[in-house]
Amino acid sequence: MIPKAFEHSGHTSNMNAMPFGLTDVRLLNGPFKAAMQRDEQYLLALDPDRLLHTFRITAGLPSSATPVGGWENPQCELRGHTLGHYLSACALMYASTGNEHFKTRVDGIVTELATCQDALPTQGYTPGFLSAYPESFFDRVERREPVWAPYYTLHKIMAGLLDAHVHCGNQQALEVLEKLAGWIAFRFSRLSYEQRQLMLDTEYGGMNELLANLYAVTGKPQHLDLARAFNHDLVLEPLARGEDKLDRLHANTQIPKVIGAAREYEVTGEAHFRKMATFFWERVALFRSYAIGGNSDHEHFFPIDRFDEHLSPVAAETCNTYNMLKLTRHLFAWEPSARFMDFYERALFNHILGSQDPSTGMMIYFGSLKPGHVKVYNTPEDSFWCCTGTGMENHAKYGDTIYFYADDELFVNLFIASELTWQEKALVLRQETRFPEQDTTRLTLHCGKPVTLALKIRYPAWAKGLSVTVNGRDVAVDCAPSSYITVKREWHDGDQIDVRLPMNLHLETLPGAANNVAVLYGPLVLAGALGTENLPDVYLNDMSTLTAPVNQWPVPEVPVLMGTPEEVLAKMEAVTGKALAFQTKGNGRPHDVVLMPFYQVHHQRYTVYWELRGDDEGTRMQF
């Protein structure tokens, strides 16, 4: 979402809550700040010159840098996408931390991209063009000839330029971006509606979102017109009619299209865009997602009654969840409902936080759900998958959704240690918590003079009772789980709000498979820790995503759980001295197992879903 300071135009009546800017929120010590710091180290360890190499070569400029590998090698048709992600990640990290090293990186990269853009016409390219590969790739899209995804890659570059402008105040980035948008408009002007719609069968990322954001920043209607030209009617119009035709579609090709529709609703007020986005979110978040919040198998949506056939090593692509969280933020802004934040929390605490290797800061591509499999990570300089790029961004922007506001209302959406500065109210809110290791959070307000506002604290769907005190006095809780408790009063400097969010163990059934369950503790998905015997190398260079040898490795025997759901929960005990760890007691076959949060399971085999059996002979329970 574009920060309010950059919203040149839009229908603000569509927005019932707004996010704070990343500069307004600072993370405090906890698992999210630790993940952000690992990401900082990785971003600063990368050499921008190596990522710029193919841009310079395409522009006919000299480059002495050693090219990086994987999806960024000089022969890969997706080359250049990582530089766009990197530019966004550095801009986001600058906003999140104030670390000037990231602004220096951003400014330097933008200068080099501008130099490349100016030089490209000397190589016979159309003015305004900017890419790490030839303009002929776009000819192949228009002629419907084989090519990977040129507009997808271009979207990452353009999004990086916009983030450089929005978060770092880089005016040159906006100038380069507008020239590039003009080049796209020139190409599109030569195509009929039918030609454009056929072209949109090729993955193009979030071009409609990016151009709607550019319109919001500049107020120039040609950018909105171009955003509309990227609306893929074959996919979007059925959603507006409430029709789910997503089976067998490439999942992450579709999600950015819908984010674009959401953004177009915000800048135009046209209700059919809202229908597209809302229906899509409901179908994917509520019906097409695994327990960890991710979706898809082999990168594709599948029939919702066949989840048991899709517990594979290449399930739950991390890019998808990155984009579903972006979409969720839009929907929450229109309707500040806890159901959106319940999903957001589930996906953030499990899939996104669990996607980063705590040893190296590297990222997973898939959240493998094959029982007995492992998490597989990129290497620092020779992978650069799509999920490496979104991964760089994920861990740079954890502060963007913890708090929202609306007039005199302040929403506390997520229980993440952080400090919010609400400048318009001259108010600082400090959230101190060890959640999820502990089930409490403390909010302390600091203000120069008394301020009246409604503090709205999310009452999660998973919480079995919620208690709130203000300065030690109980507050009546008159709302149900999956809602917000509102405490409205005149607040004074030093006021403290203590919230207790009791967590309990519970099971969640795999859709369409009553004998297949995930175990959760509060919002946390617990994975069975299955050891390191015969563990393959978990760092890959060339993923060859769907056929990587690691995905073909044999897996060990995975225990089953004996009994009814009630019996299984009754025979699960906390592990003494280890927070968030539990152990089966006599009901695991052939042996008991320790369960721990999915986000903490790394460098060992695991399972998220468990088969329930009724007796030692293996008779399946019937529910």
Side-chain angles (χ1 to χ4, degrees), residues 15-167:
M15 315 294 283
N16 290 306
M18 292 292 293
F20 288 92
L22 285 172
T23 56
D24 298 326
V25 181
R26 289 292 182 259
L27 297 187
L28 304 177
N29 289 338
F32 289 94
K33 184 174 182 179
M36 183 178 72
Q37 289 173 330
R38 286 188 288 267
D39 195 34
E40 281 187 85
Q41 293 171 3
Y42 178 49
L43 292 174
L44 292 176
L46 289 171
D47 182 354
D49 278 336
R50 297 185 68 188
L51 294 173
L52 283 162
H53 173 78
T54 49
F55 286 86
R56 290 172 172 148
I57 296 302
T58 302
L61 298 173
S63 174
S64 59
T66 302
V68 292
W71 289 12
E72 285 297 335
N73 80 74
Q75 288 72 48
C76 180
E77 289 192 351
L78 218 63
R79 60 188 183 271
H81 75 112
T82 301
L83 184 68
H85 284 298
Y86 183 76
L87 197 52
S88 287
C90 287
L92 293 167
M93 196 67 83
Y94 173 65
S96 294
T97 67
N99 186 335
E100 291 288 338
H101 289 296
F102 289 106
K103 186 177 188 305
T104 300
R105 287 279 174 104
V106 166
D107 292 343
I109 291 169
V110 170
T111 297
E112 293 302 315
L113 289 177
T115 300
C116 291
Q117 188 178 51
D118 290 342
L120 278 160
T122 68
Q123 304 301 304
Y125 296 119
T126 307
F129 176 64
L130 175 63
S131 180
Y133 45 72
E135 193 172 1
S136 60
F137 280 28
F138 296 89
D139 297 331
R140 288 157 62 186
V141 176
E142 293 170 8
R143 293 196 295 258
R144 312 305 302 132
E145 296 173 354
V147 66
W148 195 335
Y151 277 107
Y152 169 93
T153 303
L154 203 62
H155 166 250
K156 311 312 169 195
I157 298 164
M158 297 175 76
L161 289 165
L162 187 59
D163 284 333
H165 174 67
V166 169
H167 296 294

Side-chain angles (χ1 to χ4, degrees), residues 247-249 287-292 294-317 366-371 510-513 516 608-609:
D247 287 346
R248 289 169 288 278
L249 292 182
F287 294 93
R288 293 182 174 273
S289 294
Y290 300 99
I292 63 170
N295 61 74
S296 80
D297 181 28
H298 286 74
E299 300 190 357
H300 287 68
F301 290 125
F302 52 83
I304 61 175
D305 59 350
R306 297 182 184 175
F307 267 85
D308 58 343
E309 300 173 13
H310 293 279
L311 297 180
S312 88
V314 288
E317 182 184 354
F366 300 105
S368 173
L369 293 171
K370 180 179 181 179
L510 183 70
N516 227 316
V608 166
Y609 284 100

